[in-house]
Amino acid sequence: MINPAAFEKWETPFYYYDLSLLKETLGVYTSCLNKYGYHAHYALKANANDRILEEIRLAGLGADCVSGNEVTLALQSGFDPQKVVFAGVGKTDKEIITALKGDIFSFNCESIPEIEVINNLAAGLGKKARISLRINPDVDAHTHKYITTGKAQNKFGISHWMFDQVWDVVSRCTHVQLIGLHFHVGSQITNIGVFKALCHRVNEFQRWFVNKGAELPVVNLGGGLGVNYHAPFEHRIVDFNSFFELIHQNLIVLPGQEVHFEPGRALVAQCGYLISRVIYVKKGRGIKFAILDAGMNDLIRPALYSAHHHIVNLSSKGRDMRYQVVGPVCESSDRFAKSVLLPQTQRGDFIALCTAGAYGQVMAMRYNQRDIAPAYYSDQL
Ligand code: LLP
């Protein structure tokens, strides 16, 4: 693994990114994508660091954004506007105008009032906005309920019982052009059968719109592909080939239609680590606490979703002992592991929290007035 001596020069906690793994992952991903002639927009929300975005842009991907600021960042980072898509249930007028002026590829629309507002704002700017309809397919992603987005009870997308009404609105709105349907049913999906079920729903819904006379040059299946948090070193790169093969087998692609995806986590999770040091080891009832200088404000996933992140002591080769690994924040939920075996751990040891490249640094906050952990990259070692 990583030699901790190389980290001595940086104050902990910090995020560390292995750029060669990122490049390798992108290489595998794009070669699978190209095999089928598919297109991808990287979900900026997973990690928006400039160096990460640069690698992704150079690999030829577009950008999937969920806020006006993400649209601005994608354009400033050099992403081709014609590869930028914009989703989200609550796009404000200001954000829509930003995207209209940026001439992005598509708004992924999530409601009738949103389509009407985009139509009016586009008319005001003398433009025609390309839109896709984000459909809520009522497919269970079998993942954590906080990151499930495609069930009927979720706030996302347009349900099938609204289709007639939506079709009337789209036909009436002269400043929007419908270019396709969009789906995103959840994140950290490890049961690949979910995507098979999704394809079948997509086929059904596309048929409905085509029967109405719609032209759908694009279909976008979103992101969601999960990674292995339990054995990150054995599963560095997701089996993209099986994923795309399953899509290829199950999705009915309309003549001339482009198939798009919005990967986030699967591209960047494994290349990132949160690196911290042990401040104290303290005896508790029946367990020892290893108290880190990284906390839930740096990586909130364990506290928010009870997420598992593999923990490695980079400094010790001692015999295995059980620890509860916690942060310094004044919350009992500031805990990275309830009970984990680590080689005998002491003050000053370097601890790596693995698979932290996605939804780690982007979700950091300043609770307790703590600093935001900086990012360092493998070529700075
Ligand atoms: N497209 C849309 C419209 C999305 O909302 C998302 C993620 C993606 C694509 C990318 O999904 P991915 O391939 O990364 O699964 N903070 C949570 C994850 C939230 C995901 C939100 N949407 C976590 O830490 O697990």
Side-chain angles (χ1 to χ4, degrees):
M1 235 227 73
I2 309 152
N3 176 3
F7 289 154
E8 294 281 353
K9 60 182 174 184
W10 293 316
E11 192 184 332
T12 51
F14 58 86
Y15 276 87
Y16 171 75
Y17 297 98
D18 178 348
L19 289 178
S20 46
L21 178 60
L22 174 63
K23 285 181 205 173
E24 196 186 331
T25 307
L26 287 168
V28 175
Y29 186 80
T30 50
S31 75
C32 293
L33 203 64
N34 295 340
K35 180 171 163 196
Y36 298 99
Y38 296 156
H39 303 259
H41 312 273
Y42 166 67
L44 245 73
K45 68 177 82 62
N47 187 312
N49 289 6
D50 52 358
R51 306 252 349 236
I52 305 276
L53 292 185
E54 191 188 357
E55 294 302 335
I56 289 172
R57 182 178 58 79
L58 292 174
L61 275 70
D64 162 44
C65 306
V66 284
S67 71
N69 288 348
E70 282 194 355
V71 170
T72 303
L73 178 61
L75 297 177
Q76 280 171 355
S77 306
F79 282 91
D80 178 354
Q82 285 309 301
K83 289 185 182 175
V84 174
V85 296
F86 182 14
V89 292
K91 302 179 188 76
T92 64
D93 292 18
K94 188 179 164 195
E95 291 177 311
I96 292 168
I97 289 168
T98 300
L100 283 170
K101 287 187 173 163
D103 202 22
I104 65 161
F105 179 66
S106 175
F107 290 84
N108 293 334
C109 295
E110 311 223 9
S111 67
I112 289 177
E114 180 194 329
I115 298 168
E116 291 171 336
V117 168
I118 293 176
N119 185 60
N120 290 340
L121 294 171
L125 292 171
K127 289 185 177 263
K128 194 159 186 164
R130 282 169 298 275
I131 65 164
S132 296
L133 300 174
R134 177 170 181 177
I135 308 297
N136 183 323
D138 197 19
V139 167
D140 192 341
H142 296 292
T143 184
H144 192 280
K145 63 179 181 198
Y146 290 179
I147 50 176
T148 292
T149 51
K151 286 291 290 169
Q153 63 268 31
N154 299 132
K155 68 179 175 181
F156 300 96
I158 296 166
S159 293
H160 65 93
W161 47 268
M162 296 284 294
F163 282 2
D164 277 312
Q165 228 179 314
V166 170
W167 179 247
D168 286 347
V169 172
V170 170
S171 312
R172 204 169 13 87
C173 287
T174 51
H175 285 270
V176 299
Q177 180 199 353
L178 178 65
I179 61 161
L181 303 185
H182 169 245
F183 300 81
H184 173 75
V185 293
S187 199
Q188 184 51 16
I189 298 169
T190 48
N191 174 354
I192 201 155
V194 167
F195 293 103
K196 188 171 175 183
L198 172 63
C199 285
H200 296 161
R201 299 292 273 169
V202 174
N203 297 341
E204 194 185 312
F205 297 143
Q206 293 218 106
R207 212 173 308 123
W208 191 97
F209 281 92
V210 167
N211 286 341
K212 281 283 179 184
E215 276 184 46
L216 303 173
V218 173
V219 62
N220 182 335
L221 301 192
L225 202 50
V227 299
N228 193 321
Y229 282 90
H230 289 269
F233 298 104
E234 289 86 68
H235 300 273
R236 308 299 280 153
I237 299 178
V238 174
D239 182 2
F240 295 123
N241 208 46
S242 302
F243 170 73
F244 287 123
E245 183 55 30
L246 177 133
I247 301 289
H248 177 69
Q249 294 296 337
N250 290 281
L251 180 71
I252 300 173
V253 181
L254 304 175
Q257 189 175 49
E258 286 185 1
V259 182
H260 291 213
F261 295 90
E262 298 171 345
R265 187 188 321 259
L267 298 181
V268 295
Q270 298 294 23
C271 76
Y273 303 81
L274 175 59
I275 307 292
S276 66
R277 288 181 102 145
V278 177
I279 314 175
Y280 303 114
V281 176
K282 157 175 160 170
K283 276 191 189 141
R285 182 186 284 183
I287 191 101
K288 287 195 182 71
F289 293 101
I291 304 171
L292 309 187
D293 60 10
M296 65 189 288
N297 71 299
D298 301 301
L299 178 65
I300 203 172
R301 303 192 69 261
L304 189 55
Y305 315 113
S306 305
H308 175 86
H309 284 263
H310 183 66
I311 300 175
V312 181
N313 183 328
L314 301 173
S315 308
S316 170
K317 290 198 167 51
R319 68 183 174 92
D320 278 353
M321 297 179 73
R322 236 165 234 290
Y323 295 93
Q324 184 161 137
V325 181
V326 301
V329 172
C330 300
E331 298 269 347
S332 293
S333 57
D334 184 23
R335 182 171 77 188
F336 294 117
K338 193 174 175 190
S339 171
V340 67
L341 280 176
L342 292 176
Q344 192 166 16
T345 295
Q346 56 184 348
R347 175 174 166 81
D349 284 356
F350 276 104
I351 302 288
L353 290 148
C354 303
T355 324
Y359 308 108
Q361 214 175 354
V362 274
M363 293 177 79
M365 59 173 162
R366 292 216 49 210
Y367 186 41
N368 286 192
Q369 292 306 304
R370 287 170 51 78
D371 293 324
I372 296 289
Y376 298 113
Y377 298 88
S378 44
D379 59 2
Q380 297 174 295
L381 277 181

